[in-house]
Coordinates of all heavy atoms in Angstrom, one line a residue:
V1 N -1.7 -16.6 -8.5 CA -0.9 -15.5 -7.8 C -1.8 -14.9 -6.8 O -3.0 -14.7 -7.0 CB -0.5 -14.4 -8.8 CG1 0.4 -13.4 -8.1 CG2 0.3 -15.0 -10.0
I2 N -1.3 -14.8 -5.6 CA -2.0 -14.1 -4.5 C -1.2 -12.9 -4.0 O 0.0 -13.1 -3.7 CB -2.3 -15.1 -3.3 CG1 -3.2 -16.2 -3.8 CG2 -2.8 -14.4 -2.1 CD1 -3.5 -17.3 -2.7
V3 N -1.8 -11.8 -3.9 CA -1.2 -10.6 -3.4 C -1.5 -10.4 -1.9 O -2.7 -10.5 -1.5 CB -1.7 -9.4 -4.2 CG1 -1.1 -8.1 -3.7 CG2 -1.4 -9.5 -5.7
L4 N -0.5 -10.1 -1.1 CA -0.7 -9.8 0.3 C -0.9 -8.3 0.3 O 0.0 -7.5 0.3 CB 0.5 -10.2 1.1 CG 0.8 -11.7 1.0 CD1 1.9 -12.1 2.0 CD2 -0.4 -12.6 1.2
G5 N -2.2 -7.9 0.5 CA -2.6 -6.5 0.4 C -2.6 -5.8 1.7 O -3.4 -4.8 1.8
C6 N -1.9 -6.2 2.7 CA -1.9 -5.6 4.0 C -0.5 -5.8 4.6 O 0.1 -7.0 4.5 CB -2.9 -6.2 5.0 SG -2.8 -5.6 6.7
S7 N 0.2 -4.8 5.1 CA 1.6 -5.0 5.6 C 1.7 -5.9 6.7 O 2.8 -6.4 7.0 CB 2.1 -3.6 6.0 OG 1.4 -3.0 7.0
H8 N 0.6 -6.3 7.4 CA 0.6 -7.3 8.5 C 0.8 -8.7 7.9 O 1.4 -9.6 8.5 CB -0.7 -7.3 9.3 CG -0.7 -6.2 10.3 ND1 -1.0 -4.9 10.0 CD2 -0.6 -6.3 11.7 CE1 -1.0 -4.2 11.2 NE2 -0.8 -5.0 12.2
Y9 N 0.2 -8.9 6.7 CA 0.1 -10.3 6.2 C 1.4 -11.0 5.9 O 1.5 -12.3 6.0 CB -0.8 -10.3 5.0 CG -2.2 -9.9 5.3 CD1 -3.2 -9.8 4.2 CD2 -2.7 -9.6 6.6 CE1 -4.5 -9.4 4.5 CE2 -4.0 -9.2 6.8 CZ -4.9 -9.1 5.8 OH -6.2 -8.7 6.0
P10 N 2.5 -10.3 5.6 CA 3.8 -11.1 5.4 C 4.2 -11.9 6.6 O 5.0 -12.8 6.4 CB 4.8 -10.0 5.1 CG 4.0 -8.9 4.4 CD 2.7 -8.9 5.1
F11 N 3.7 -11.5 7.8 CA 4.1 -12.3 9.0 C 3.5 -13.6 9.0 O 3.9 -14.5 9.8 CB 3.8 -11.4 10.2 CG 4.7 -10.3 10.4 CD1 4.3 -9.0 10.3 CD2 6.1 -10.4 10.7 CE1 5.1 -7.9 10.4 CE2 7.0 -9.4 10.8 CZ 6.5 -8.1 10.7
V12 N 2.4 -13.8 8.2 CA 1.8 -15.2 8.1 C 2.0 -15.7 6.7 O 1.3 -16.6 6.3 CB 0.3 -15.1 8.5 CG1 0.1 -14.9 10.0 CG2 -0.5 -14.1 7.7
R13 N 3.0 -15.2 6.0 CA 3.2 -15.7 4.6 C 3.5 -17.2 4.6 O 3.0 -17.9 3.7 CB 4.3 -14.9 4.0 CG 4.7 -15.4 2.6 CD 5.7 -14.4 1.9 NE 6.0 -14.9 0.6 CZ 6.6 -14.1 -0.4 NH1 6.9 -12.9 -0.1 NH2 6.8 -14.6 -1.6
P14 N 4.3 -17.7 5.5 CA 4.6 -19.2 5.5 C 3.3 -20.0 5.6 O 3.1 -21.0 4.9 CB 5.5 -19.4 6.7 CG 6.2 -18.1 6.9 CD 5.2 -17.1 6.6
L15 N 2.4 -19.5 6.4 CA 1.1 -20.2 6.6 C 0.3 -20.1 5.3 O -0.3 -21.1 4.8 CB 0.3 -19.7 7.8 CG -1.1 -20.2 8.0 CD1 -1.0 -21.8 8.1 CD2 -1.7 -19.6 9.2
I16 N 0.2 -18.9 4.7 CA -0.5 -18.7 3.5 C 0.0 -19.6 2.4 O -0.7 -20.2 1.6 CB -0.5 -17.2 3.1 CG1 -1.3 -16.4 4.1 CG2 -1.1 -17.0 1.7 CD1 -1.2 -14.9 3.9
E17 N 1.4 -19.6 2.3 CA 2.0 -20.5 1.2 C 1.7 -21.9 1.4 O 1.4 -22.7 0.5 CB 3.5 -20.3 1.3 CG 3.9 -18.9 0.8 CD 5.4 -18.7 0.9 OE1 6.1 -19.3 1.8 OE2 6.0 -17.8 0.1
R18 N 1.7 -22.4 2.7 CA 1.4 -23.8 2.9 C -0.1 -24.1 2.6 O -0.4 -25.2 2.0 CB 1.6 -24.1 4.4 CG 1.5 -25.5 4.8 CD 2.0 -25.8 6.2 NE 1.0 -25.5 7.2 CZ 1.1 -24.7 8.2 NH1 2.3 -24.1 8.4 NH2 0.2 -24.5 9.1
L19 N -1.0 -23.2 2.9 CA -2.4 -23.5 2.6 C -2.8 -23.3 1.2 O -3.7 -24.0 0.7 CB -3.3 -22.5 3.5 CG -3.2 -22.8 5.0 CD1 -4.0 -21.7 5.7 CD2 -3.8 -24.1 5.4
A20 N -2.1 -22.4 0.5 CA -2.4 -22.2 -0.9 C -1.8 -23.2 -1.8 O -2.3 -23.5 -2.9 CB -1.9 -20.8 -1.3
G21 N -0.7 -23.8 -1.4 CA -0.1 -24.9 -2.2 C 1.1 -24.4 -3.0 O 1.2 -23.2 -3.3
P22 N 1.9 -25.3 -3.5 CA 3.2 -24.9 -4.2 C 3.0 -24.3 -5.5 O 3.9 -23.7 -6.1 CB 3.9 -26.2 -4.2 CG 2.9 -27.3 -4.2 CD 1.8 -26.7 -3.3
L23 N 1.8 -24.4 -6.1 CA 1.6 -23.9 -7.5 C 1.1 -22.4 -7.5 O 1.0 -21.8 -8.5 CB 0.6 -24.8 -8.2 CG 0.9 -26.2 -8.4 CD1 -0.2 -27.0 -9.2 CD2 2.3 -26.4 -9.1
V24 N 0.9 -21.9 -6.3 CA 0.5 -20.5 -6.2 C 1.6 -19.6 -5.7 O 2.3 -19.9 -4.7 CB -0.7 -20.4 -5.2 CG1 -1.2 -18.9 -5.1 CG2 -1.9 -21.3 -5.7
R25 N 1.8 -18.5 -6.4 CA 2.9 -17.6 -6.1 C 2.4 -16.5 -5.2 O 1.3 -15.9 -5.5 CB 3.5 -17.0 -7.4 CG 4.7 -16.1 -7.1 CD 5.4 -15.7 -8.4 NE 6.5 -14.8 -8.2 CZ 7.3 -14.4 -9.2 NH1 7.0 -14.7 -10.5 NH2 8.3 -13.5 -9.0
I26 N 3.1 -16.2 -4.1 CA 2.7 -15.1 -3.2 C 3.6 -13.9 -3.4 O 4.8 -14.1 -3.4 CB 2.8 -15.6 -1.7 CG1 2.1 -17.0 -1.6 CG2 2.2 -14.6 -0.8 CD1 0.6 -17.0 -1.8
I27 N 3.0 -12.7 -3.5 CA 3.8 -11.5 -3.7 C 3.3 -10.5 -2.7 O 2.2 -10.4 -2.4 CB 3.8 -11.0 -5.1 CG1 2.4 -10.6 -5.6 CG2 4.4 -12.0 -6.1 CD1 2.4 -9.9 -6.9
E28 N 4.3 -9.6 -2.3 CA 4.0 -8.5 -1.4 C 5.0 -7.4 -1.7 O 6.1 -7.6 -2.2 CB 4.0 -8.9 0.1 CG 5.2 -9.6 0.6 CD 6.3 -8.7 1.1 OE1 5.9 -7.5 1.3 OE2 7.4 -9.1 1.4
P29 N 4.6 -6.1 -1.4 CA 5.4 -5.0 -1.9 C 6.5 -4.4 -1.1 O 7.0 -3.3 -1.4 CB 4.3 -3.9 -2.1 CG 3.4 -4.2 -0.9 CD 3.4 -5.7 -0.7
S30 N 7.0 -5.1 -0.1 CA 8.0 -4.5 0.8 C 9.2 -3.9 0.1 O 9.6 -2.8 0.3 CB 8.4 -5.5 1.9 OG 7.3 -5.9 2.7
D31 N 9.8 -4.8 -0.8 CA 11.0 -4.4 -1.5 C 10.7 -3.2 -2.5 O 11.5 -2.3 -2.6 CB 11.6 -5.6 -2.3 CG 12.2 -6.6 -1.3 OD1 12.5 -6.3 -0.2 OD2 12.3 -7.8 -1.7
A32 N 9.5 -3.3 -3.1 CA 9.2 -2.2 -4.0 C 9.0 -0.9 -3.3 O 9.4 0.2 -3.8 CB 7.9 -2.5 -4.8
I33 N 8.4 -0.9 -2.1 CA 8.3 0.3 -1.3 C 9.6 0.9 -0.9 O 9.9 2.1 -0.9 CB 7.4 0.0 0.0 CG1 6.0 -0.4 -0.4 CG2 7.4 1.3 0.9 CD1 5.3 0.6 -1.3
A34 N 10.6 0.0 -0.5 CA 11.9 0.4 -0.2 C 12.6 1.1 -1.3 O 13.2 2.2 -1.2 CB 12.7 -0.7 0.4
L35 N 12.5 0.5 -2.5 CA 13.1 1.1 -3.7 C 12.5 2.4 -4.1 O 13.2 3.4 -4.4 CB 12.9 0.1 -4.9 CG 13.8 -1.1 -4.9 CD1 13.3 -2.1 -6.0 CD2 15.3 -0.8 -5.1
Q36 N 11.2 2.6 -3.9 CA 10.5 3.8 -4.2 C 10.9 4.9 -3.2 O 11.1 6.1 -3.5 CB 9.0 3.7 -4.1 CG 8.2 5.0 -4.3 CD 8.4 5.6 -5.7 OE1 9.0 5.1 -6.6 NE2 7.9 6.9 -5.8
T37 N 11.1 4.5 -1.9 CA 11.6 5.4 -0.9 C 13.0 6.0 -1.3 O 13.2 7.2 -1.2 CB 11.6 4.8 0.5 OG1 10.3 4.3 0.8 CG2 12.1 5.7 1.5
R38 N 13.9 5.1 -1.7 CA 15.2 5.5 -2.1 C 15.1 6.4 -3.3 O 15.8 7.5 -3.4 CB 16.1 4.3 -2.4 CG 17.5 4.7 -2.7 CD 18.5 3.5 -2.9 NE 18.1 2.7 -4.1 CZ 18.8 1.6 -4.4 NH1 19.8 1.2 -3.7 NH2 18.4 1.0 -5.5
R39 N 14.3 6.1 -4.3 CA 14.1 7.0 -5.4 C 13.7 8.4 -5.0 O 14.2 9.4 -5.5 CB 13.1 6.4 -6.4 CG 13.7 5.3 -7.3 CD 12.8 4.9 -8.4 NE 11.5 4.3 -8.0 CZ 11.4 3.0 -7.9 NH1 12.4 2.2 -8.3 NH2 10.2 2.5 -7.5
V40 N 12.7 8.5 -4.1 CA 12.2 9.8 -3.7 C 13.3 10.5 -2.9 O 13.5 11.8 -3.1 CB 10.9 9.6 -2.8 CG1 10.5 11.0 -2.2 CG2 9.8 9.0 -3.6
L41 N 14.0 9.9 -2.0 CA 15.1 10.5 -1.3 C 16.2 11.1 -2.3 O 16.7 12.2 -2.1 CB 15.8 9.5 -0.4 CG 15.0 9.0 0.9 CD1 15.7 7.9 1.5 CD2 14.8 10.2 1.9
E42 N 16.5 10.3 -3.3 CA 17.5 10.8 -4.3 C 16.9 12.0 -5.0 O 17.6 13.0 -5.3 CB 17.8 9.6 -5.2 CG 18.6 8.5 -4.6 CD 18.8 7.3 -5.5 OE1 18.0 7.2 -6.5 OE2 19.7 6.5 -5.3
R43 N 15.7 11.9 -5.4 CA 15.0 13.0 -6.2 C 15.0 14.3 -5.4 O 15.2 15.4 -6.0 CB 13.6 12.6 -6.6 CG 12.9 13.6 -7.5 CD 11.4 13.2 -7.6 NE 10.7 13.4 -6.3 CZ 9.6 12.8 -6.0 NH1 9.1 11.8 -6.8 NH2 9.0 13.0 -4.9
E44 N 14.7 14.2 -4.1 CA 14.6 15.4 -3.3 C 15.9 15.8 -2.6 O 15.9 16.8 -1.9 CB 13.6 15.1 -2.2 CG 12.2 14.7 -2.7 CD 11.5 15.9 -3.4 OE1 11.8 17.0 -3.1 OE2 10.6 15.6 -4.2
G45 N 17.0 15.1 -2.9 CA 18.3 15.4 -2.3 C 18.3 15.2 -0.8 O 18.9 15.9 -0.1
L46 N 17.6 14.1 -0.4 CA 17.5 13.8 1.1 C 18.2 12.6 1.6 O 18.0 12.3 2.8 CB 16.0 13.7 1.4 CG 15.1 15.0 1.3 CD1 13.7 14.7 1.5 CD2 15.6 16.0 2.3
L47 N 19.0 11.9 0.7 CA 19.7 10.8 1.2 C 20.7 11.2 2.3 O 21.3 12.3 2.2 CB 20.5 10.1 0.1 CG 19.7 9.1 -0.8 CD1 20.6 8.7 -2.0 CD2 19.3 7.9 0.0

């Protein structure tokens, strides 16, 4: 498993996947950040 720990790096994810090989899983937090943002908006009544 390889974590993309910089928000720039998803733009080279296809290259990283190609170089790392098919047996290595690549993950990055964009969707998790979006979900957390929605949770905070809901909690604060800001939607």
Side-chain angles (χ1 to χ4, degrees):
V1 183
I2 294 176
V3 177
L4 304 186
C6 172
S7 58
H8 280 76
Y9 296 176
F11 290 112
V12 289
R13 179 171 181 166
L15 176 57
I16 294 172
E17 289 177 334
R18 189 171 80 234
L19 294 172
L23 300 181
V24 178
R25 184 169 178 181
I26 310 296
I27 62 174
E28 53 93 8
S30 299
D31 291 337
I33 297 303
L35 287 169
Q36 176 62 9
T37 300
R38 184 174 66 181
R39 283 192 290 265
V40 174
L41 290 170
E42 291 172 342
R43 183 189 72 203
E44 301 292 334
L46 289 174
L47 279 171

